[in-house]
Amino acid sequence: MTIAFRPLSEVKMILEEAGTDISYTYDDLVFVDHTAYLIQFDDLNKENLNLYFNIDLNELDARSLGKKLKMLVEKHHKTLTPAGKFSLKQKDGSEEIDISFFPLAN
């Protein structure tokens, strides 16, 4: 079994520079404290991070936020790839959440 290295401390620094912080991590996903977006580590390309925006975030805010994040990520010698959107839904009678991903169309 291989355990993938994921530079969480570097992502934490990037998010702090963006004025936010990590609220939760799960496997390859980094949830941001306001859930406007999340970051996914790219296990195929260690120098890349995938960016998903919350489906409820309007396009203008997503574009502005995407530009800001891209600049900060590149400052850390990495790339940021817009990967699509996501939605969160709390499971009935539970504190667990379901996450659905909507990848960008190719």
Side-chain angles (χ1 to χ4, degrees), residues 44-100:
L44 298 177
N45 179 356
K46 303 292 183 208
E47 302 306 315
N48 184 60
L49 299 169
N50 294 314
L51 174 64
Y52 288 88
F53 285 109
N54 190 310
I55 200 161
D56 295 328
L57 186 66
N58 72 57
E59 281 301 314
L60 185 60
D61 289 342
R63 266 185 265 141
S64 175
L65 193 51
K67 286 179 185 178
K68 179 179 181 180
L69 290 169
K70 183 176 184 197
M71 179 191 69
L72 293 170
V73 167
E74 288 174 351
K75 182 174 141 185
H76 288 264
H77 308 289
K78 297 203 174 297
T79 57
L80 185 67
T81 302
K85 296 186 180 228
F86 73 98
S87 68
L88 298 173
K89 181 181 177 195
Q90 188 166 353
K91 291 182 180 181
D92 291 336
S94 171
E95 290 189 20
E96 295 179 11
I97 60 167
D98 281 324
I99 185 166
S100 299

Side-chain angles (χ1 to χ4, degrees), residues 6-32:
R6 298 183 177 129
L8 186 59
S9 61
E10 199 166 0
V11 170
K12 182 173 176 51
M13 284 189 299
I14 292 166
L15 293 176
E16 287 173 351
E17 290 174 29
T20 189
D21 203 357
I22 295 171
S23 66
Y24 185 75
T25 60
Y26 180 79
D27 195 28
D28 63 344
L29 299 175
V30 178
F31 293 84
V32 180

Side-chain angles (χ1 to χ4, degrees), residues 33-50:
D33 61 10
H34 50 66
T35 67
Y37 61 92
L38 61 83
I39 303 285
Q40 179 185 42
F41 290 103
D42 186 340
D43 289 337
L44 298 177
N45 179 356
K46 303 292 183 208
E47 302 306 315
N48 184 60
L49 299 169
N50 294 314

